[in-house]
């Protein structure tokens, strides 16, 4: 998605530079600063550009872009509106003003501007971009079905456009059709392996469909799709979020060894994050590696988890410790998890267990004494 927009912007910059005639020092300096992300510094140069060229839309466009990047929305909208007034047929001017309006929840205005473009005169790249923006406006206006219909029409003419597949996936999600959304997110990733957003969305959608499936075979199918997508993503880009997602997908597909490996990779990437340690501990427990599981779960507690995650960690630790007959510690963790009733049961069990241990110790002493008496008789 971002690469597509960058391509549009790069083409725009060439066109604007050519249209500007002799480029001014302020214009060139402003462009360089903008491309470096130094928007506040660039504003000064673009302001000088519009002062010296008040009837040229390019200066207002770039001034508005900088202000939009700095969330100076009122100023951005004013300058971008001026760029549209001076260059009403340029889709770059209209699209940028529409984005600024969408940023302040003025989607109906943005949609009207976009619908005013002479659509058939646009390049294929701009047609796709404007269609995606229109779809976003329609979704916000609770018209997801209209967004789907709009994007389906464009996909019919441009079936291998990954950005359009990503956009229609979002529209299907808004409409509540997660299965169709999954198909299009997956297609976007297949066409453009660099589209990590679509890959993550596809894997997450497949996992949610598996969790909601009432049939084991259907759930298994969705889990398998999630694992295949997430594994490809995490293998290509083994960053924390991707490794974590691959681990979750492997868990869903009941591939515990693979899940443990991905959670370990996520933990290595961000050792200070408690979530990966929790998942790794839970997976190791499922693999009957209880001691390792307890070690990682205790480390997760020490990594400052949020309240909800801390409850999950305490609960998992409590179960493991109870199975290991460390009942006092188990009760403490149940209590920390907010399960006072279970903690009381464990405390009572611990009391009975300690009494039994005491009786066993007495019995052992009696047996030892009896053995001593027998040896004396011999």
């Amino acid at each position: 998605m971002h690469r597509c927009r960058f391509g549009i912007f790069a083409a725009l910059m060439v066109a604007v530079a050519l249209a500007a005639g002799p480029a001014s020092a302020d214009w060139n300096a402003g462009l360089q600063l903008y491309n470096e992300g130094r928007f506040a510094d660039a504003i000064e140069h673009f302001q000088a550009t519009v002062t010296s060229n008040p009837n040229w839309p390019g200066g207002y466009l770039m001034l508005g872009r900088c202000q939009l990047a700095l969330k100076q929305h009122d100023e951005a909208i004013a300058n971008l509106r001026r760029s549209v007034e001076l260059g009403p047929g340029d889709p770059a001017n209209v699209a940028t003003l529409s984005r600024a309006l969408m940023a302040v929840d003025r989607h109906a205005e943005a949609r009207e501007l976009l619908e005013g473009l002479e659509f058939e005169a646009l390049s294929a790249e701009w047609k796709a971009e404007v269609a995606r923006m229109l779809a976003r406006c329609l979704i916000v206006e609770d018209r997801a079905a209209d967004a789907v219909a709009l994007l389906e029409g464009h996909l019919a003419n441009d079936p291998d456009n990954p950005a359009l597949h990503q956009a229609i996936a979002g529209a299907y999600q808004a409409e509540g059709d997660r299965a169709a959304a999954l198909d299009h997110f997956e297609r976007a990733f297949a066409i453009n392996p660099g589209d990590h957003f679509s890959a993550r969305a596809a894997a997450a959608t497949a996992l949610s469909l598996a969790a909601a499936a009432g049939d084991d075979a259907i759930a298994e199918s969705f889990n398998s799709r999630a694992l295949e997508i997430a594994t490809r993503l995490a293998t290509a880009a083994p960053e924390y979020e991707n490794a974590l997602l691959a681990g979750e997908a492997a868990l869903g597909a009941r591939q515990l060894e693979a899940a443990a490996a991905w959670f370990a990779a996520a933990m290595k990437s961000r050792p200070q994050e408690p979530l990966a340690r929790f998942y790794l501990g839970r997976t190791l427990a499922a693999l009957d590696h209880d001691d390792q599981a307890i070690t990682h779960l205790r480390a997760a507690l020490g990594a400052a988890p949020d309240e909800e995650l801390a409850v999950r960690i305490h609960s998992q630790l409590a179960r493991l410790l109870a199975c290991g007959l460390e009942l006092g510690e188990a009760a403490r963790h149940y209590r920390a998890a907010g399960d006072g009733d279970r903690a009381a049961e464990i405390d009572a069990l611990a009391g009975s267990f300690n009494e039994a241990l005491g009786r066993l110790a007495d019995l052992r002493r009696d047996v030892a004494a009896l053995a001593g008496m027998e040896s004396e008789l011999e």
Side-chain angles (χ1 to χ4, degrees), residues 299-320:
L301 272 182
D306 61 34
E307 184 176 348
E308 181 180 350
L309 180 56
V311 167
R312 296 171 70 188
I313 297 170
H314 280 296
S315 295
Q316 184 75 52
L317 269 171
R319 288 191 290 271
L320 288 171

Side-chain angles (χ1 to χ4, degrees), residues 131-161:
R132 291 165 62 213
M133 293 180 69
L134 279 169
R136 185 61 198 158
C137 292
L138 291 168
I139 290 169
V140 172
E141 295 177 47
D142 292 325
R143 295 172 58 189
D146 291 335
V148 168
L150 171 71
L151 292 166
E152 280 180 342
H154 286 279
L155 271 172
N157 296 320
D158 193 3
D160 293 325
N161 188 315

Side-chain angles (χ1 to χ4, degrees), residues 125-275:
E125 193 170 37
W126 269 118
K127 283 180 180 178
E129 179 70 5
V130 170
R132 291 165 62 213
M133 293 180 69
L134 279 169
R136 185 61 198 158
C137 292
L138 291 168
I139 290 169
V140 172
E141 295 177 47
D142 292 325
R143 295 172 58 189
D146 291 335
V148 168
L150 171 71
L151 292 166
E152 280 180 342
H154 286 279
L155 271 172
N157 296 320
D158 193 3
D160 293 325
N161 188 315
L164 286 175
H165 281 286
Q166 185 191 98
I168 200 170
Y172 273 120
Q173 276 190 326
E175 198 178 27
D177 190 343
R178 289 184 294 171
L182 169 59
D183 290 340
H184 285 282
F185 277 133
E186 192 171 13
R187 179 65 177 147
F189 181 46
I191 298 170
N192 177 18
D195 183 2
H196 295 171
F197 173 86
S198 289
R200 283 190 287 267
T205 302
L207 287 173
S208 70
L209 285 165
D215 180 272
D216 288 345
I218 294 174
E220 183 178 351
S221 174
F222 282 126
N223 278 321
S224 295
R225 285 177 74 177
L227 179 58
E228 192 274 330
I229 296 164
T231 299
R232 278 198 293 129
L233 172 65
T235 300
E239 57 200 55
Y240 173 81
E241 290 84 359
N242 298 341
L244 195 69
L245 182 59
E248 291 181 71
L251 270 186
R254 300 176 187 175
Q255 297 190 18
L256 298 182
E257 295 285 357
W262 282 118
F263 291 138
M267 188 185 71
K268 184 177 180 180
S269 175
R270 287 192 197 170
Q272 76 282 6
E273 289 286 345
L275 185 59

Side-chain angles (χ1 to χ4, degrees), residues 77-103:
I77 288 171
N79 282 304
L80 294 170
R81 200 177 293 282
R82 183 61 177 153
S83 78
V84 172
E85 290 169 356
L86 293 170
D90 190 333
N93 299 334
V94 174
T96 309
L97 174 56
S98 297
R99 287 194 193 99
L101 292 168
M102 292 165 71

